[in-house]
Structure formats: structure tokens, C-alpha cells
Amino acid sequence: MKGSSMNTHMGKIVINNEVIAQYAGSVAVECFGIVGMAAVSVKDGLVKLLKMDSITRGISVSRNNNKLILDFHVIVAYGVSILAVADNLINNVKYKVEEFTGIEIEKINIYVDGVRVID
């Protein structure tokens, strides 16, 4: 099991990276301008919008010196400022994931893999 762990006076706490990715994904899709997470097909080079139940496939969680590194592959709404959306995403995810897990985030990388028109 790949996870992030911390030691307390009562014992060890291990948080699976999948749990962190799922929580970070749910925070991300609540952000203004984010349509959803993206999955890139290496074979075809196609980008497709992921459904909520497979949202973690668009997020990668890794660790460096007990700090988290999150990679997001997102699809943004057409007509919004990508810089503003990315800044909002970084601030919301950093605050909420650090509050949720108690683990500091070192870096958040955002890869915009597509743009969609919202009806």
C-alpha cells in the first residue's frame, strides 16, 4: 500500500494515496472553471473527461521528504482565465488537503488537457 504516514504518541497513521487523490479531486471539481479531471489515452493521444467515480485517475499523488506532490490533469471551461482557475485550484486544494490530512503540500502541478464549452 502506497501511502503517507505520520507518527503520533498513540501510534502510526497511514493515509493511502488513493484517499488523498479522491479528496483532492472532489475539492478540485468544486473550483470555478474546472469541468472535471482528464484521462489521456497514451495509445490514441485522446483526452476524455472522467466521471466522478473514476476521478482519481486524473490525479497523481507522490511524496518528497514527508511532503505531498500533487499532479492534476484537468479540463477547464471555455472562456475562463486558465491562470485564474489554476490559482484558485492551487489555493483551495492546498488549504483543504493540508487541513484534511495534516501533511504539508510541497508542490501542485496542473496540466490543462482540454477545454470544454459548458451549457
Side-chain angles (χ1 to χ4, degrees):
M1 172 175 84
K2 287 187 175 184
S4 299
S5 64
M6 59 188 114
N7 292 315
T8 67
H9 68 284
M10 296 291 287
K12 187 175 187 177
I13 300 171
V14 179
I15 304 171
N16 191 319
N17 286 347
E18 189 78 10
V19 172
I20 296 170
Q22 191 167 14
Y23 184 75
S26 67
V27 170
V29 295
E30 292 174 357
C31 293
F32 172 77
I34 300 291
V35 176
M37 296 296 119
V40 180
S41 171
V42 177
K43 183 177 98 176
D44 303 328
L46 297 174
V47 175
K48 75 178 196 185
L49 183 63
L50 293 171
K51 296 181 178 155
M52 284 301 288
D53 56 346
S54 58
I55 201 167
T56 58
R57 285 183 32 217
I59 302 169
S60 170
V61 178
S62 58
R63 287 188 45 172
N64 183 25
N65 297 328
N66 292 329
K67 294 181 182 179
L68 294 174
I69 298 172
L70 303 175
D71 294 335
F72 286 86
H73 291 268
V74 298
I75 297 176
V76 298
Y78 176 80
V80 298
S81 166
I82 292 175
L83 181 59
V85 170
D87 192 42
N88 184 30
L89 175 66
I90 289 169
N91 291 332
N92 283 342
V93 168
K94 181 171 176 34
Y95 173 75
K96 290 183 178 178
V97 170
E98 285 181 349
E99 190 74 22
F100 178 67
T101 63
I103 303 169
E104 187 179 345
I105 294 179
E106 178 182 333
K107 190 187 311 185
I108 298 175
N109 300 311
I110 300 173
Y111 302 94
V112 178
D113 290 334
V115 177
R116 289 273 170 99
V117 176
I118 300 175
D119 296 332

